[in-house]
Amino acid sequence: MRIVVDAMGSDEHPAPDVAGAVLAAREWGDSILLVGDSARITEELSKHDIDGLYIDVVPATDVIGMIDKPSDAVKNKPDSSMHVGLGLVQQGEADAFVSAGNTGGILAVAMLATLRRIRGVKRPALTAIFPNLTGKLVAADIGANADAKPDYLEQFAVMASAYAEQAMGIRAPRVALLSNGEEEGKGNELVKETAPLLRGMTSINYVGNVEPKEALSGETDIVIHDGFTGNIFIKSIEAAASMTGRLLKREITAGTLTKIGGLLAKPAFSRASKYIDPFEIGGAPLLGVNGVVIVAHGRSNAIAIKNAVGQARRAVDGNVISAIREGLREA
Amino acid sequence: MRIVVDAMGSDEHPAPDVAGAVLAAREWGDSILLVGDSARITEELSKHDIDGLYIDVVPATDVIGMIDKPSDAVKNKPDSSMHVGLGLVQQGEADAFVSAGNTGGILAVAMLATLRRIRGVKRPALTAIFPNLTGKLVAADIGANADAKPDYLEQFAVMASAYAEQAMGIRAPRVALLSNGEEEGKGNELVKETAPLLRGMTSINYVGNVEPKEALSGETDIVIHDGFTGNIFIKSIEAAASMTGRLLKREITAGTLTKIGGLLAKPAFSRASKYIDPFEIGGAPLLGVNGVVIVAHGRSNAIAIKNAVGQARRAVDGNVISAIREGLREA
């Protein structure tokens, strides 16, 4: 297997990206293609013991940064690490692309300049994978389409189901629509129009509407929403978890006894925060483009990049792209 | 001041509703009108020392329950505690109405059968008031309008500003639109169309878009959204805070030392959870109807009901309805 890692992706690039690639190459023995500024990548690589690992450097002179507008980036930076890296997948020289870079940039370069969409896909979907109390939840779309239509959501359900089944090993993954009430008939116009479409599909395991609480408590494996709602959903969860943590810290450090208690309980806090750490999952797929693309968080550390490569290899192993094609044909 | 408390509102009615009314009558000395099943209310009242308090019982034979469809409830239960209670406000016999009952029922009875809307209001807005790290956040709409239009959101901003200023004492309250990015131009179609409208208003203190994190960290006093998005927003926050708490509890109780630490830190946990306890705030206004209506959570306890009465009296004291009328004229 050959996996491309965008060395210029993360906020702190190329250090975490290169270190993560090294960890992945060591763990799984795959061939890793590091794309970006050769000199800087080589310098980073010299800090690691890469003896016996399959790591190649592929030069790319441009970098699409967090402030670049996606459409400009596509036109004006044809030799970006994203263009070159996604191009390798497009040309069949690699099996997957992993990047912690500008999400809009990845989306635009993949859709408009390189891989393009899988035949029949109306819109691509950005996803997030995150832990709930009992397992993992796949959320789609989280931002590729701020406004969506019922037939887009229908395809997101098919694509996310194929991914959950093939790359995450979840048999007949449960799919739900995120809504403001669980009862059939609740929702905004989009949800109310989409629900009967999903209800009528035999190729997915649709379980109805869920509210945020049910999504987090493990009552579904996949939750579908337009990109605006999905973005608010995942960012609200992150913000509330972080606020809860900060509030607890403030109260714990406010007294001597509670401070001692906090110190004793520290391993529990660490385990809990590791459990909900997005970096443990590493990344999530961009669905609908004609190739395996895993998007990691900009703040990714080496572990996150390694785990994103892990996601990529499971997606390749599970033939996710074929499964999506198949799913769309059946739908 | 005369405040109506719906005795048949909360999930456990009438006990918490009556107990909360007694607490409020004692704390502020207002006249409280308890509306509902006279026999049950009288029985509950007999459990409290109400000597010297101004508490009257107003009979109403019907109860609009959590499973009643709002439109049916309006038609088929004309003698519900909501009809009678809201009717008292409509007829000028009381200054405000407080209920922990079916939100859709309150909305429907207020809008269609009793108070009706303030002249010029296009749509009413349900609100939530909840704590952030530095103060309180007013969120509108959280469910009255699953689908909204820019001019509805514009009015929500005006009404919530009037409320925050007059009933909560926040000078020139900051108003933001909830969006998937802070930059101007981010958002779905609704947000992108609403932003310039709010930007152009001199009567409100519009500060731009906020993401969930900024809303929770206190960068705005008011956050505006359609009812579907707002509902997902507040329910995601509740769900994530609760999941974080459960996860921590699971990890803390998993080891002996961490368990001891957890016991020592318990006062800090209590303070933190009290800080984010929705019952401490008690309730939030239904904006746009022609009278002060405070909606409390179905799970309200006596403290929550008392605090909801507190919200109501501050709204009456601050002449919120006049301020809203004024604000709408200026807009």
Side-chain angles (χ1 to χ4, degrees):
Chain A
M1 204 181 292
R2 292 162 68 85
I3 294 173
V4 179
V5 174
D6 177 359
M8 316 310 277
S10 77
D11 295 350
E12 307 289 325
H13 70 262
D17 317 78
V18 170
V22 171
L23 290 174
R26 192 174 296 140
E27 175 128 352
W28 296 297
D30 299 324
S31 167
I32 305 280
L33 304 172
L34 273 165
V35 182
D37 180 328
S38 312
R40 293 180 65 191
I41 298 173
T42 308
E43 191 196 332
E44 280 303 321
L45 279 174
S46 72
K47 300 175 186 167
H48 300 274
D49 174 13
I50 56 170
D51 210 37
L53 304 184
Y54 303 102
I55 299 181
D56 286 299
V57 179
V58 180
T61 51
D62 290 333
V63 177
I64 295 177
M66 290 299 171
I67 54 159
D68 280 312
K69 283 210 168 176
S71 50
D72 296 346
V74 169
K75 275 181 278 175
N76 305 332
K77 296 190 167 178
D79 197 45
S80 76
S81 55
M82 290 181 193
H83 279 85
V84 174
L86 286 161
L88 289 168
V89 180
Q90 183 199 1
Q91 294 138 28
E93 292 181 37
D95 301 295
F97 176 78
V98 171
S99 176
N102 180 332
T103 306
I106 300 169
L107 180 61
V109 175
M111 284 292 286
L112 305 174
T114 55
L115 296 173
R116 303 187 189 264
R117 66 189 78 186
I118 294 170
R119 196 188 172 90
V121 166
K122 287 162 189 161
R123 290 287 187 285
L126 277 166
T127 63
I129 303 178
F130 53 98
N132 55 29
L133 280 171
T134 57
K136 281 173 191 161
L137 178 70
V138 181
D141 172 29
I142 62 156
N145 315 271
D147 294 280
K149 295 181 176 171
D151 53 342
Y152 303 172
L153 297 197
E154 191 182 9
Q155 289 198 333
F156 299 166
V158 170
M159 297 193 292
S161 293
Y163 189 88
E165 181 132 18
Q166 299 301 119
M168 299 169 71
I170 305 171
R171 274 287 185 84
R174 294 160 299 171
V175 186
L177 279 171
L178 188 68
S179 189
N180 57 342
E182 287 199 281
E183 307 85 351
E184 184 112 30
K186 281 270 189 177
N188 57 7
E189 287 304 318
L190 177 64
V191 168
K192 285 192 274 191
E193 286 172 27
T194 307
L197 295 182
L198 299 190
R199 177 76 64 205
M201 293 172 77
T202 52
S203 60
I204 61 165
N205 180 13
Y206 176 61
V207 297
N209 290 347
V210 288
E211 295 191 45
K213 188 171 70 176
E214 285 75 40
L216 285 190
S217 62
E219 293 186 23
T220 187
D221 301 299
I222 297 165
V223 64
I224 300 295
H225 27 61
D226 65 76
F228 182 83
T229 303
N231 200 273
I232 298 294
F233 173 55
I234 63 157
K235 286 183 179 163
S236 297
I237 291 167
E238 285 173 3
S242 150
M243 176 178 151
T244 308
R246 283 169 67 184
L247 197 55
L248 265 176
K249 196 171 176 183
R250 182 170 93 184
E251 295 303 334
I252 283 173
T253 53
T256 309
L257 270 182
T258 56
K259 213 186 272 181
I260 295 170
L263 285 173
L264 288 171
K266 203 164 186 182
F269 281 88
S270 305
R271 284 195 303 270
S273 74
K274 187 166 172 167
Y275 186 85
I276 55 172
D277 183 358
F279 299 163
E280 287 295 313
I281 288 171
L286 168 58
L287 295 172
V289 294
N290 196 18
V292 173
V293 175
I294 303 293
V295 181
H297 203 294
R299 285 186 283 113
S300 288
N301 57 19
I303 302 289
I305 300 290
K306 187 201 96 173
N307 290 338
V309 173
Q311 286 281 340
R313 55 195 317 283
R314 285 191 295 278
V316 174
D317 251 351
N319 283 309
V320 160
I321 304 298
S322 307
I324 290 175
R325 257 193 223 108
E326 183 74 17
L328 292 172
R329 255 198 306 269
E330 280 175 33
Chain B
M1 203 181 293
R2 292 162 67 86
I3 293 173
V4 179
V5 174
D6 178 1
M8 317 309 277
S10 78
D11 295 350
E12 307 289 325
H13 69 262
D17 317 78
V18 171
V22 172
L23 290 175
R26 191 173 297 141
E27 176 127 352
W28 296 296
D30 299 323
S31 166
I32 304 279
L33 305 171
L34 274 165
V35 181
D37 180 329
S38 312
R40 292 181 65 191
I41 297 173
T42 308
E43 191 197 331
E44 280 303 320
L45 279 175
S46 72
K47 299 175 187 167
H48 300 274
D49 175 13
I50 55 170
D51 213 37
L53 304 184
Y54 303 101
I55 298 181
D56 286 299
V57 179
V58 180
T61 51
D62 289 333
V63 177
I64 295 177
M66 290 299 171
I67 55 161
D68 280 312
K69 283 210 169 177
S71 50
D72 295 349
V74 169
K75 274 180 280 175
N76 305 331
K77 296 189 167 179
D79 197 44
S80 76
S81 55
M82 290 180 194
H83 280 83
V84 174
L86 286 161
L88 290 168
V89 180
Q90 183 199 1
Q91 294 138 29
E93 294 183 35
D95 302 295
F97 176 78
V98 171
S99 175
N102 182 331
T103 306
I106 300 168
L107 180 62
V109 175
M111 284 290 287
L112 305 174
T114 55
L115 297 173
R116 302 186 191 263
R117 67 189 76 186
I118 294 171
R119 197 186 172 90
V121 166
K122 287 163 189 162
R123 291 287 189 284
L126 277 166
T127 64
I129 301 177
F130 53 99
N132 55 28
L133 279 172
T134 56
K136 281 173 191 164
L137 178 70
V138 181
D141 171 30
I142 62 156
N145 314 273
D147 294 279
K149 294 181 178 171
D151 52 341
Y152 303 173
L153 298 197
E154 192 182 8
Q155 289 197 333
F156 300 166
V158 170
M159 296 193 292
S161 294
Y163 189 88
E165 181 129 20
Q166 298 301 119
M168 299 169 71
I170 305 172
R171 274 287 184 85
R174 294 160 299 171
V175 186
L177 280 170
L178 188 67
S179 190
N180 57 342
E182 286 199 281
E183 307 84 353
E184 183 111 33
K186 281 269 188 177
N188 58 8
E189 286 305 318
L190 177 64
V191 168
K192 285 192 275 192
E193 286 171 29
T194 307
L197 295 183
L198 300 190
R199 177 75 62 204
M201 293 172 75
T202 51
S203 60
I204 60 166
N205 180 12
Y206 175 62
V207 295
N209 291 346
V210 289
E211 295 192 44
K213 188 171 70 175
E214 285 75 40
L216 285 189
S217 62
E219 294 186 21
T220 187
D221 301 299
I222 297 167
V223 64
I224 300 294
H225 26 61
D226 66 76
F228 182 83
T229 302
N231 199 273
I232 298 293
F233 173 55
I234 64 156
K235 286 184 179 162
S236 298
I237 291 167
E238 285 173 4
S242 150
M243 177 179 151
T244 307
R246 285 169 66 185
L247 197 55
L248 266 177
K249 196 171 177 184
R250 183 171 93 183
E251 295 303 333
I252 283 173
T253 53
T256 309
L257 271 182
T258 55
K259 214 186 271 179
I260 295 169
L263 285 173
L264 288 172
K266 202 165 186 180
F269 281 89
S270 305
R271 284 195 303 270
S273 74
K274 189 168 171 164
Y275 187 85
I276 56 172
D277 183 358
F279 299 164
E280 286 296 313
I281 287 171
L286 168 58
L287 295 172
V289 294
N290 196 16
V292 173
V293 176
I294 303 293
V295 181
H297 203 294
R299 285 185 283 114
S300 287
N301 56 20
I303 302 289
I305 299 290
K306 187 200 96 173
N307 291 338
V309 173
Q311 286 281 340
R313 58 194 314 283
R314 285 190 296 277
V316 174
D317 251 349
N319 284 309
V320 160
I321 303 298
S322 306
I324 290 177
R325 255 191 225 111
E326 183 73 16
L328 291 172
R329 254 198 306 268
E330 280 175 32

